[in-house]
């Protein structure tokens, strides 16, 4: 029974993980940037929800759109002024830049909100559904649903909109896209902005059941990387499935091994995939 | 002060200084003010975590220090030194050992007479090493790690109780309040980091040693910054314990009780064992933290002196006094008292005076503040605290108790 | 190519300056310089893999940790002096590095993916160490202090200056080794692999073999730095000597100063540590002058800003920037002349 419960928890978490990693998949896939600030962007999402909740009393799902829009703006600006100029520099430099950005953003949050841990007291924060001996956390269920919806929007946008197609072209082959007349610099800004927005949305979802604090960024960043690699860079449905995979693996790992070792399982999985199938579960060969 | 050139001969200045010191030493205690101008200000250096994950607590500790300095100065300063006022310089350790050590070096160069700090055990250890090397008295305000006073440091004093002392008192307290309904099965849960592990490692052998017949069915750990404690709590629930023993920080403490509620995991008692998170205001504000206990040093809520200070602190800083404020406050009292007896701001004189401390007026729970030969406070107290109606109440020991314990706790569904 | 005369003299002057600091510096300065040179040493060791071979490893903390734990455990359980224990640690670390290299390169893990492998590896090792009791777990290991003359025999000293001289010697040593590598055939091959691995391979260079050798050498020497830390602080814990966070710190110096160059890592580290102190001091000044309360975290922001700006305007690091300028100047001169 314990394992079934862990499985359920893993699935619920997995959708949010997937959404969080989707942003990174986009950024990594299109821009080839090791975005060390990814987790920090998610924290910005969490704090946006918290702030809107405190000031306007808005439930995080209600304020999801404005929060995501804010992150979109932030991402756009970051890419336009800080990352675009170094997009052709050696890859290693981008990680230093994003690391620096992460530090700056995290500490701006610290200055603005202080070091206290905050919780958002929604009405459903503590509800859960009992299904026999199993327990379904309502907050996580709502987050699960919302994540799937946002992910769906993301997919459709990429698939059917012109900008989406341009983004996919640019991620497949930078030079070719440029030759085709696509304004790559602008596409990069939009891509990063979308990545940031989806990450912010994931942050809003998390904020309903995880206390908001400014020091959780790095862990989210690492987990996102594991998910993106496991699923396959540039394959967005792979990322979503990767999210589920990691969520389940971690929760099962917590019960089978020990809570504090659950991350070891996902990292080992990452290494195995990188050795034997570096394109991830769903990526194409030679990526 | 510095290790000047080893080959330099004794300069004239050195000679005069030496003579002056000799004479001053001879007349020590009698006419110190004749040969050495009474200092107008005595500088104390404090290292606290003002950023990083202990930032909130570090800030509360700083306020405790500042309040004490303020009180001492308003009462006339150090009278044996002509009413010299205390001055405090607080620096940020950033919750990092390296930084704490460097800042300690920095402060020592700035003519402080004493070091205070450092809240986090890792930083405190690093600072202790520096203080020992530099022969600077270091009075620890908050830090429980036993190891610090087991290193043979000669300049370190600790006002705060050690983990062992805390656990000892705590277990006595739990035994007392569960007399009518003894505990049989427990699950131990702790966060996977220094505090969690070290407390657990000390606690588990202590249980049988004290003759307690508890069956610790399992020890469940979870990582720092975990995104979900659902599986861990689920596992604990499946073991059907009477009570759980917890060592957690604020973030996970909140997640823990929320998860227990959601999973309808009822226990007779949630016992924080020197659990830092249980003392944080955020946790106490959380409704579900009600009825949980914590073994913790606490401020004395019975004694009039302590009560007055607590009220002033709360009014001024809008945060509860508790241990974060009380022990730093007492640390300054200890230093001021020692300075009074030392009569000069010489480090070794101060150290000697600290050794001979017998301070009765203080704000923390416990008996007279007295240091043993390792530097630990023999009278350091601990209490068993229970959160009732959003406020922490001491339920044990009886001389410091402000309320009666409620055990077993009402089930979750009756609490909402 | 003519070497400009003034340069070697500057190096000698700097060396003398640094070597004599214990005489007039004071403990605070020594503390800062010991940390700065320690990172300079670690960064230079990393440079062999990251700079010379072009493999961005963000997991070199693993080898530092192996070194620190090996010598510490041998001392704690067998009484073996860390002077010998550190060699054992270095050997284990180099084998670990070679193994990681073998697995990665054999499976053709490149570029960013290799970077992620190293991150995963160091986190796994850190988490395992945090979990296993006899390795100290999350509490870490306190090294028994041995005071007095007996201390030197077990790599412990009372004052700071012996540690300072040791880390200076180590830094000089790794500088020498890096120089030798640069001039050797190994260095030549590594550079070829770094520039274009496939091309090098088509020329018959056994790329994997040399990459593994680079990992082994780098791991060996960086582990010695781990033992140094353990003996200096007399306390180790997984998150202090392992993990992604620490590994990233190691790399900041070289990337800032210019990885792939001889002096870049050292320059970068020597800039970073005082820079950190400077920004902290600046924050204090601002706080007291303007009586501002909520400025905690300002110096971290400044730190981050420096990172962003340096990458933006000096993407090849400080030394790289300088070298390019010199090259451009020479091109201009030869074009004009």
């Amino acid at each position: 029974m314990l394992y079934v419960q862990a499985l359920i928890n893993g699935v619920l978490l997995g959708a949010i993980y997937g959404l969080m990693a989707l942003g990174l998949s986009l950024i990594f896939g299109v821009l080839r940037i090791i975005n060390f600030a990814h987790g920090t962007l998610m924290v910005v999402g969490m704090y946006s929800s918290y702030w809107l909740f405190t000031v306007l009393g808005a439930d995080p799902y209600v304020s999801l759109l404005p929060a995501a829009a804010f992150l979109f703006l932030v991402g756009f600006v970051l890419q336009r002024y800080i990352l675009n100029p170094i997009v052709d520099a050696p890859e290693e430099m981008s990680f230093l830049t994003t690391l620096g950005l992460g530090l700056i953003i995290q500490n701006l949050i610290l200055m603005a909100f202080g070091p206290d841990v905050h919780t958002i007291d929604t009405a459903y924060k503590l509800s859960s559904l009992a299904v026999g001996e199993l327990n379904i956390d309502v907050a996580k269920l709502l987050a699960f649903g919302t994540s799937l919806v946002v992910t769906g929007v993301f997919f459709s946008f990429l698939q059917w909109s012109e900008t989406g197609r341009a983004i996919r072209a640019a991620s497949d082959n930078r030079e070719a896209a440029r030759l085709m007349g696509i304004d790559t610099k602008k596409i990069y800004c939009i891509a990063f902005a979308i990545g940031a927005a989806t990450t912010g949305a994931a942050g809003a979802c998390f904020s309903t059941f995880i206390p908001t604090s400014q020091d959780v960024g790095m862990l989210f960043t690492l987990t996102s990387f594991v998910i993106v690699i496991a699923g396959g860079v540039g394959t967005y449905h792979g990322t979503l499935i990767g999210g589920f995979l990691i969520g389940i693996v971690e929760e099962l790992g917590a019960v089978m091994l020990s809570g504090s070792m659950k991350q070891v399982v996902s990292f080992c999985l990452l290494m195995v995939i990188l050795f034997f199938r570096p394109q991830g579960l769903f990526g194409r060969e030679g990526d | 002060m510095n290790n000047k050139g080893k080959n330099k001969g004794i300069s004239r200045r050195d000679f005069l200084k030496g003579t002056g010191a000799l004479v001053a030493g001879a007349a020590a205690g009698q006419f110190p003010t004749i040969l050495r101008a009474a200092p107008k200000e005595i500088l104390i250096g404090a290292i606290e975590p003002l950023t990083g994950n202990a930032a909130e607590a570090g800030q509360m500790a700083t306020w405790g220090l500042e309040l004490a300095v303020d009180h001492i100065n308003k009462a006339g300063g150090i009278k044996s030194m002509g009413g010299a006022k205390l001055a405090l310089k607080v620096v940020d350790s950033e919750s990092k050992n390296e930084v704490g050590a460097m800042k300690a070096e920095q402060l020592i160069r700035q003519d402080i007479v004493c070091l205070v700090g450092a809240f986090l055990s890792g930083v405190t250890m690093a600072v202790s090493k520096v203080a020992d090397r530099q022969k600077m008295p270091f009075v620890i305000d908050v830090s429980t790690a036993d190891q610090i006073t087991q290193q043979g440091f000669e300049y370190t004093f600790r006002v705060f109780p050690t983990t062992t002392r805390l656990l000892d008192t705590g277990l006595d307290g739990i035994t007392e309040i569960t007399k009518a309904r003894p505990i049989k099965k427990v699950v131990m849960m702790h966060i996977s980091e220094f505090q969690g592990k070290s407390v657990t490692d000390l606690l588990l052998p202590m249980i049988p040693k004290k003759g307690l017949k508890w069956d610790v069915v399992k020890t469940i750990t979870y990582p720092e910054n975990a995104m979900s404690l659902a599986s861990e709590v689920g596992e604990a629930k499946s073991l059907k314990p009477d009570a759980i023993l917890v060592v957690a920080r604020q973030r996970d403490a909140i997640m823990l009780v929320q998860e227990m509620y959601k999973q309808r995991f009822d226990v007779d008692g949630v016992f924080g064992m020197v659990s830092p998170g249980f003392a944080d205001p955020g946790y106490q504000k959380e409704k579900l933290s009600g009825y949980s206990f914590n073994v913790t040093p606490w401020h004395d809520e019975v004694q009039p002196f302590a009560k007055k200070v607590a009220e002033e602190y709360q009014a001024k800083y809008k945060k509860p006094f508790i241990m974060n404020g009380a022990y730093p406050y007492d640390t300054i009292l200890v230093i001021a008292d020692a300075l009074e007896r030392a009569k000069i701001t010489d480090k070794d004189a101060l150290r000697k005076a600290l050794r001979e401390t017998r301070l009765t007026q203080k704000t923390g729970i416990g008996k007279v503040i007295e240091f043993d030969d390792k530097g630990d406070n023999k009278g350091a107290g601990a209490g068993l605290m229970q959160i009732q109606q959003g406020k922490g109440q001491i339920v044990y020991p009886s001389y410091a108790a402000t309320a009666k314990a409620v055990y077993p706790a009402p089930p979750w569904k009756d609490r909402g | 190519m003519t070497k400009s005369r003034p340069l070697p003299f500057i190096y000698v002057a700097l060396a003398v300056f640094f070597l004599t600091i214990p005489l007039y510096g004071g403990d605070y300065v020594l503390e800062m310089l010991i940390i700065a040179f320690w990172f300079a040493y670690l960064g230079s060791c990393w440079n062999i893999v990251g700079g010379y071979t072009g493999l961005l490893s963000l997991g070199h903390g693993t080898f530092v940790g192996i070194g620190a734990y090996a010598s510490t455990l041998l001392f704690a359980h067998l009484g073996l002096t860390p002077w010998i224990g550190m060699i054992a640690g270095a050997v284990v670390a180099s084998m670990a590095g070679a193994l990681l290299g073998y697995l990665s390169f054999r499976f053709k893990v490149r570029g960013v993916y290799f970077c992620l492998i190293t991150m995963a590896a160091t986190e796994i090792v850190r988490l395992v160490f945090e979990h296993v009791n006899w390795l100290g777990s999350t509490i870490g290991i306190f090294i028994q202090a041995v005071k007095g003359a007996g201390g030197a025999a077990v790599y412990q000293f009372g004052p700071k200056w012996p540690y300072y001289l040791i880390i200076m010697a180590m830094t000089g040593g790794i500088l020498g080794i890096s120089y030798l590598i640069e001039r050797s055939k190994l260095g030549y091959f590594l550079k070829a692999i770094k520039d274009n691995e496939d091309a090098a391979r088509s020329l018959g260079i056994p790329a994997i073999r040399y990459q593994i050798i680079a990992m082994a050498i780098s791991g060996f020497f960086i582990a010695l730095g781990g033992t140094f830390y353990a003996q200096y602080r007399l306390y180790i814990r997984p998150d202090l000597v392992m993990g992604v966070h620490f590994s990233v710190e190691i790399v900041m110096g070289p990337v800032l100063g210019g990885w792939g160059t001889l002096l870049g890592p050292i320059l970068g580290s020597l800039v970073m540590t005082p820079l950190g102190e400077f920004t902290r001091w600046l924050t204090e000044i601002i706080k007291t002058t303007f009586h501002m309360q909520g400025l905690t975290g300002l110096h971290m922001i400044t730190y981050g800003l420096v990172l962003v700006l340096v990458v933006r305007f000096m993407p090849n690091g400080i030394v790289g920037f300088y070298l390019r300028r010199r090259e451009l100047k020479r091109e201009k001169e030869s074009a004009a002349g």
Side-chain angles (χ1 to χ4, degrees):
Chain A
M1 254 311 136
L2 207 55
Y3 294 102
V4 179
Q5 180 71 63
L7 197 66
I8 294 179
N9 294 338
V11 168
L12 291 179
L13 265 183
I16 319 169
Y17 275 3
L19 179 64
M20 166 176 84
L22 222 44
L24 186 67
S25 192
L26 187 61
I27 293 172
F28 194 35
V30 176
L31 305 161
R32 281 279 182 259
I33 287 180
I34 311 175
N35 184 15
F36 260 68
H38 191 74
T40 316
L41 289 175
M42 214 195 71
V43 173
V44 174
M46 289 176 85
Y47 270 90
S48 307
S49 303
Y50 168 72
W51 187 77
L52 288 169
F53 181 81
T54 325
V55 167
L56 298 174
D59 180 279
Y61 291 117
V62 167
S63 62
L64 189 79
L65 233 46
F70 175 63
L71 255 319
F72 184 92
L73 202 68
V74 170
F76 194 94
V77 167
L78 286 178
Q79 181 66 35
R80 168 88 177 72
Y81 294 106
I82 301 181
L83 292 169
N84 260 351
I86 60 157
V87 86
D88 291 318
E91 267 174 359
E92 298 81 4
M93 296 320 248
S94 69
F95 108 79
L96 258 198
T97 307
T98 51
L99 183 70
L101 280 177
L103 274 179
I104 295 174
I105 296 175
Q106 179 181 337
N107 282 279
L108 281 174
I109 294 177
L110 177 62
M111 276 172 61
F113 290 94
D116 303 357
V117 170
H118 303 282
T119 41
I120 297 182
D121 286 319
T122 55
Y124 48 82
K125 186 180 71 163
L126 298 172
S127 336
S128 63
L129 305 168
V131 179
E133 266 197 48
L134 298 171
N135 204 59
I136 305 204
D137 192 334
V138 169
K140 285 195 190 126
L141 192 63
L142 284 174
F144 173 81
T146 311
S147 300
L148 289 179
V149 168
V150 177
T151 306
V153 170
F154 178 87
F155 279 170
S156 353
F157 172 80
L158 271 190
Q159 194 69 31
W160 289 309
S161 79
E162 208 181 300
T163 326
R165 272 195 291 250
I167 291 176
R168 280 190 295 137
S171 84
D172 278 345
N173 193 326
R174 214 178 261 192
E175 273 315 304
R178 216 174 280 174
L179 289 172
M180 272 168 51
I182 296 178
D183 180 352
T184 42
K185 293 258 167 164
K186 193 165 115 200
I187 289 294
Y188 293 158
C189 292
I190 295 183
F192 196 95
I194 295 178
T198 48
T199 308
C205 293
F206 269 124
S207 72
T208 58
F209 61 90
I210 290 185
T212 305
S213 65
Q214 36 82 18
D215 53 351
V216 294
M218 184 52 101
L219 179 65
F220 286 139
T221 307
L222 284 180
T223 313
S224 303
F225 270 107
V226 175
I227 295 171
V228 170
I229 300 293
V233 182
T235 69
Y236 303 107
H237 56 277
T239 306
L240 182 62
I241 298 184
F244 284 119
L245 180 65
I246 296 302
I248 294 172
V249 156
E250 275 193 6
E251 291 303 305
L252 282 178
V255 234
M256 294 202 283
L257 292 174
S258 149
S260 48
M261 286 283 270
K262 58 184 173 191
Q263 285 151 8
V264 176
V265 183
S266 23
F267 285 130
C268 284
L269 185 66
L270 173 70
M271 288 186 80
V272 166
I273 290 182
L274 278 174
F275 285 149
F276 297 108
R277 210 189 147 82
Q279 68 271 33
L281 292 173
F282 296 94
R284 288 153 291 165
E285 284 263 10
D287 237 345
Chain B
M1 248 196 292
N2 297 330
N3 304 327
K4 296 254 170 74
K6 322 161 210 165
N7 299 323
K8 282 209 188 124
I10 301 179
S11 71
R12 191 194 301 170
R13 201 202 284 162
D14 289 346
F15 178 79
L16 283 174
K17 245 207 256 176
T19 320
L22 247 159
V23 183
Q30 302 256 334
F31 303 103
T33 49
I34 292 179
L35 292 158
R36 206 181 177 129
K40 287 225 228 38
E41 227 185 39
I42 303 174
L43 190 58
I44 299 176
I47 302 173
E48 304 288 354
L50 299 174
T51 51
N53 50 22
E56 188 180 359
Q59 181 61 73
M60 290 166 79
T62 306
W63 288 331
L65 295 172
E66 285 173 359
L67 192 63
V69 168
D70 199 43
H71 285 173
I72 299 273
N73 287 345
K74 284 220 184 80
I78 307 296
K79 304 181 191 69
S80 74
M81 296 200 220
K85 300 270 192 259
L86 291 179
L88 187 69
K89 183 152 170 50
V90 185
V91 294
D92 181 10
S93 70
E94 292 171 33
S95 309
K96 293 189 194 135
N97 305 1
E98 306 291 326
V99 180
M102 269 209 270
K103 294 280 171 92
E105 301 277 7
Q106 237 178 345
L107 283 173
I108 291 175
R109 280 171 105 234
Q110 288 171 33
D111 265 339
I112 54 171
V113 306
C114 192
L115 267 175
V116 169
F119 209 91
L120 297 169
S121 293
V123 185
T124 307
M125 177 67 94
V127 173
S128 273
K129 288 212 189 88
V130 172
D132 203 56
R133 230 184 279 203
Q134 303 283 24
K135 305 211 191 314
M136 169 67 67
F138 173 42
V139 187
I140 299 175
D141 52 9
V142 178
S143 174
T144 61
D146 286 35
Q147 295 95 336
I148 297 176
T149 40
Q150 288 165 358
Q151 299 286 311
F153 293 134
E154 292 172 356
Y155 283 79
T156 301
F157 298 86
R158 177 176 14 203
V159 179
F160 206 71
T162 59
T163 308
T164 312
R165 170 72 56 87
L166 287 166
L167 291 174
D168 195 60
T169 310
L171 287 174
D172 286 339
I174 298 176
T175 312
E176 172 82 21
I177 63 170
T178 59
K179 257 207 297 233
R181 198 184 156 101
I183 294 177
K184 291 190 280 297
K185 271 206 307 192
V186 289
V187 165
M188 177 88 220
M189 295 185 76
H190 74 84
I191 183 174
S192 182
E193 45 95 274
F194 186 94
Q195 179 78 4
K197 189 83 171 57
S198 55
V199 169
T200 306
D201 281 353
L202 283 172
L203 174 64
L204 294 180
M206 240 191 228
I207 295 175
K209 245 196 261 185
K210 287 185 79 83
L212 293 167
K213 305 266 190 294
W214 299 353
D215 178 17
V216 183
V217 186
K218 186 145 192 220
T219 302
I220 299 177
T221 59
Y222 54 85
E224 293 182 86
N225 294 329
M227 292 199 226
S228 163
L229 294 179
S231 298
E232 288 87 345
V233 172
E235 194 182 351
K237 179 180 176 190
S238 71
L239 296 166
K240 302 207 211 308
D242 301 315
I244 59 169
L245 309 172
V246 182
V247 187
R249 297 217 168 257
Q250 191 180 175
R251 193 176 168 276
D252 33 289
I254 295 175
M255 284 171 74
L256 200 66
V257 287
Q258 288 182 351
E259 198 58 48
M260 287 178 74
Y261 177 89
K262 284 188 277 195
Q263 296 193 26
R264 294 164 248 279
F265 175 27
D266 281 307
V267 288
D268 287 343
V270 174
F271 293 100
M273 308 300 289
V274 197
S275 185
F278 282 43
D280 287 326
Y283 176 74
Q284 296 183 355
K285 261 194 274 180
E286 165 60 59
K287 258 192 307 166
L288 296 172
S289 71
Y291 301 106
S292 63
F293 295 88
N294 194 18
V295 176
T296 178
W298 201 254
H299 67 285
D300 193 331
E301 296 200 70
V302 173
Q303 260 206 69
F305 171 73
K307 274 176 78 168
K308 206 158 82 67
V309 175
E311 274 160 28
E312 189 178 335
Y313 182 98
Q314 260 141 224
K316 192 165 178 194
Y317 302 112
K318 315 274 188 285
K319 284 256 168 84
F321 194 39
I322 54 174
M323 72 177 203
N324 295 350
Y327 286 85
Y329 187 93
D330 286 350
T331 307
I332 297 290
L333 291 186
V334 165
I335 297 174
D337 171 75
L339 283 170
E340 284 281 6
R341 286 180 285 112
K343 301 201 181 77
I344 48 173
T345 57
D346 171 70
K347 290 184 287 185
D348 279 303
L350 179 59
R351 174 166 154 247
K352 184 164 173 297
L354 282 167
R355 278 254 164 88
E356 296 163 358
T357 300
R358 283 204 96 241
L359 192 63
T360 40
Q361 192 177 67
K362 57 192 172 22
T363 59
I365 288 184
K367 311 199 174 64
V368 173
I369 297 183
E370 252 186 306
F371 297 112
D372 65 16
D373 53 6
K374 291 214 287 233
D376 275 320
N377 179 3
K378 287 195 269 200
L384 190 61
M385 179 265 292
Q386 183 177 35
I387 297 179
Q388 298 176 353
Q389 252 98 349
K391 196 168 161 324
Q393 304 279 6
I394 296 291
V395 297
Y396 177 92
S398 47
Y399 71 80
T402 50
K404 254 183 78 81
V406 177
Y407 184 84
W412 295 112
K413 60 179 166 59
D414 296 338
R415 286 198 242 170
Chain C
M1 262 185 280
T2 47
K3 254 203 186 132
S4 24
R5 269 331 234 27
L7 240 45
F9 174 71
I10 287 186
Y11 294 153
V12 171
L14 278 173
V16 168
F17 170 69
F18 280 121
L19 282 171
T20 52
I21 280 200
L23 298 176
Y24 46 81
D27 268 0
Y28 169 63
V29 171
L30 269 188
E31 167 82 29
M32 192 167 69
L33 283 178
I34 291 177
I35 300 294
F37 273 107
W38 183 59
F39 273 108
Y41 175 79
L42 297 179
S44 299
C45 295
W46 174 88
N47 194 33
I48 296 175
V49 163
Y52 292 150
T53 325
L55 298 162
L56 177 65
S57 155
L58 286 182
H60 256 59
T62 322
F63 311 122
V64 179
I66 291 178
Y69 270 89
S71 65
T72 302
L73 288 168
L74 285 171
F75 178 61
H77 293 296
L78 296 178
L80 184 66
T81 169
W83 290 114
I84 301 181
M86 74 180 182
I87 305 291
V91 168
V92 175
S94 77
M95 292 199 306
L99 178 65
L100 187 65
Y102 171 72
L103 290 173
S104 311
F105 309 138
R106 193 192 164 300
F107 290 111
K108 299 213 184 54
V109 182
R110 305 225 191 148
V112 177
Y113 296 107
F114 176 71
C115 179
L116 288 163
I117 287 249
T118 59
M119 285 166 76
T122 193
E123 280 295 295
I124 292 174
V125 172
R126 179 184 69 89
L127 286 166
V128 166
F129 268 74
E130 281 191 350
H131 206 76
V132 178
N133 273 335
W134 63 268
L135 287 174
S137 179
T138 46
I139 296 180
I141 302 180
F142 290 91
I143 298 177
Q144 196 57 38
V146 175
K147 294 200 178 161
V154 288
Y155 205 146
Q156 285 186 34
F157 306 95
K160 280 207 205 316
W161 61 265
Y163 288 106
Y164 179 71
L165 291 179
I166 292 177
I167 196 64
M168 287 284 289
M170 285 167 79
T171 309
I174 194 67
L175 210 60
I177 291 173
S178 303
Y179 183 76
L180 288 174
I181 292 181
E182 266 190 7
R183 303 273 149 151
S184 72
K185 219 160 50 156
L186 173 67
Y188 176 74
F189 287 147
L190 291 178
K191 189 169 187 311
I193 295 170
K194 172 185 177 181
D195 284 341
N196 191 328
E197 187 172 336
D198 295 315
R201 226 177 278 223
S202 65
L203 287 174
I205 299 176
I208 296 184
R209 185 195 306 173
Y210 285 113
Q211 286 170 328
I212 294 178
I213 291 178
M215 288 286 284
I217 296 178
S218 176
F220 182 89
F221 286 107
I222 213 176
L224 298 177
T227 303
F228 174 81
Y229 178 85
Q231 297 307 122
Y232 181 51
R233 292 293 184 207
L234 294 182
Y235 173 61
I236 53 173
R237 202 174 64 208
D239 61 308
L240 295 175
V241 291
M242 294 176 195
V244 170
H245 201 257
F246 175 61
S247 303
V248 168
E249 270 198 273
I250 295 177
V251 179
M252 289 222 255
V255 181
L256 205 70
W259 80 101
T261 66
L262 190 62
L263 293 173
I266 297 180
L267 184 66
S269 305
L270 288 183
V271 167
M272 297 280 282
T273 313
L275 186 71
E277 280 306 295
F278 175 73
T279 49
R280 269 188 210 110
W281 171 82
L282 200 68
T283 317
E284 290 288 324
I285 301 277
I286 297 179
K287 263 168 84 166
T288 44
T289 329
F290 297 107
H291 293 286
M292 299 178 83
Q293 265 302 332
L295 270 190
T296 49
L298 186 66
H299 78 270
M300 290 301 269
I301 293 182
T302 327
Y303 216 51
L305 264 175
V306 168
L307 283 178
V308 173
L309 291 173
V310 165
V311 172
R312 173 78 179 83
F313 297 109
M314 289 197 276
N316 282 309
I318 299 174
V319 174
F321 179 73
Y322 172 74
L323 283 176
R324 264 209 59 190
R325 249 196 21 191
R326 209 168 58 167
E327 231 175 81
L328 287 174
K329 217 172 18 166
R330 270 203 214 116
E331 277 174 26
K332 249 203 276 184
E333 283 167 6
S334 60

